[in-house]
Amino acid sequence: MQRRITALFLICIIMAGTLAACKPVQEASAPPSDEEVVITVAGSWPDCRALDIVAGAFTEKYPNCTVSYEYLQDYYPSLIKRMGGDNPVDLFFTTNIQEGSELQPYALDLNSCDQLDLSHTFQGLIDNFTFREADSEGKGKLYAIPLGAEIRGMYVNKTLLGTLGLEVPTDQASLLAACQVLKDNGYIPFHGNPGEFSQHLLYPWVCNLIANADDPQAAFAKVNAHEPGVSEMFREPYEFLYTLVENDYYDYKTAQNDTGLFVESSDDYYARYFLNILDQADGTPAKVDDIGQIAFMPSAMSLQGTIDKTKEDYHSGIEYTFILAPTGTDGGFAYMSPAHGIGANKASANMEWTVKFLDFLFQPENNKLFTEAFHVIPNTEEALAYTEKLYSVPDDHISELGQVTFAYGFYDIIRLNMVDVSKANNPKYMQDDGSGNMSLYPLDFYMENLENSLQEQ
């Protein structure tokens, strides 16, 4: 009986703290001036420079409160364990949390906190992370806030291109021409894990075909309804991907077999592979040279922080840049989707300070400090204009998730079918004419598969 009373008492304390933090007040109350508070933020990265920067600014304003970052290995299982217990984390980095996820029972509904001001954030990002019942007319539940907007594109090894007299490509023609020169000199131009390669390279193009169609609403409705023939809307990006595979500009299996590259797909491996920092005979990674062997690596903008740190740690001399993948005849495409988010633990012992820090983090000037170091687009009202200016992208080459939010059933079909095309030059997936001669299936084979999958869905 004593244990039960104690447990109920603790629950009451936690609930009281949560209600106190989320009642309508002008500013969360602070502890007495002589009370020191530490807010713990859990993440999956060994360090988080972006958080350190904003945490320093927060402590400068509120000297009694320190914001501390904690790296958790085996992140999500470890995080769930740390959400309860005697020493729970206060805040945590996460992907989108919806009803039914393992984290949802522990996460505070941030829409219940009136002192958390998100009026200056980008509504499309907030909406994407908000859970709403089918018949709900309210604000919905927000278990995490997107820290900013992610941009997909590709990293370009300027040093390697320079050794061959090549410039950073700006459109499809110059990209394919550079690929041929690289291939002629013994390089596989594009590298990446096939499960992610085409998504990073071509998904922005796919989204722009819908968002910037002559009649976007009609195109959007056609896609969501899986109308017969809708697959033809995406023939151009599929044809471009097929060209890369057909000409061995992307040949993941040869890269894996001959060099051991991209058998792993973590951020750390991507950064080291790109900078030619490879495992030696004793298993220790070391820099091979300052030129590298990867010219083009599709990935996300946010990977730059890991690459920058890896370059510094291993004293790499490779110069590189991140660009929108120049897959269009007149340049690249930008698509804004949510980056990682941050959530609050309902069991936080420092709820008022936890919410206070979240409010501080999403004030535009502080969010810009964070996202500049985190390498994502700021979560502010000007996010779209910021992206256009950053990449000098025209209006008809940019879109955001508020314009293209088709069902995951469609997204998964597009993604998986592109993965199949990415693997087309792997002998395991090629066709045999019966006499041992192997060849790629034609592009129409994959287009028919796409159409059939859409109709079956």
Side-chain angles (χ1 to χ4, degrees), residues 210 215-227 230 233 406:
I210 302 169
D215 187 342
Q217 290 185 340
F220 183 75
K222 183 178 181 179
V223 165
N224 272 330
H226 296 193
E227 290 186 11
V230 70
M233 186 184 298
F406 43 68

Side-chain angles (χ1 to χ4, degrees), residues 234-248:
F234 310 106
R235 179 173 284 272
E236 284 186 288
Y238 271 80
E239 188 171 24
F240 179 79
L241 177 60
Y242 189 83
T243 297
L244 297 185
V245 175
E246 183 180 33
N247 289 283
D248 295 325

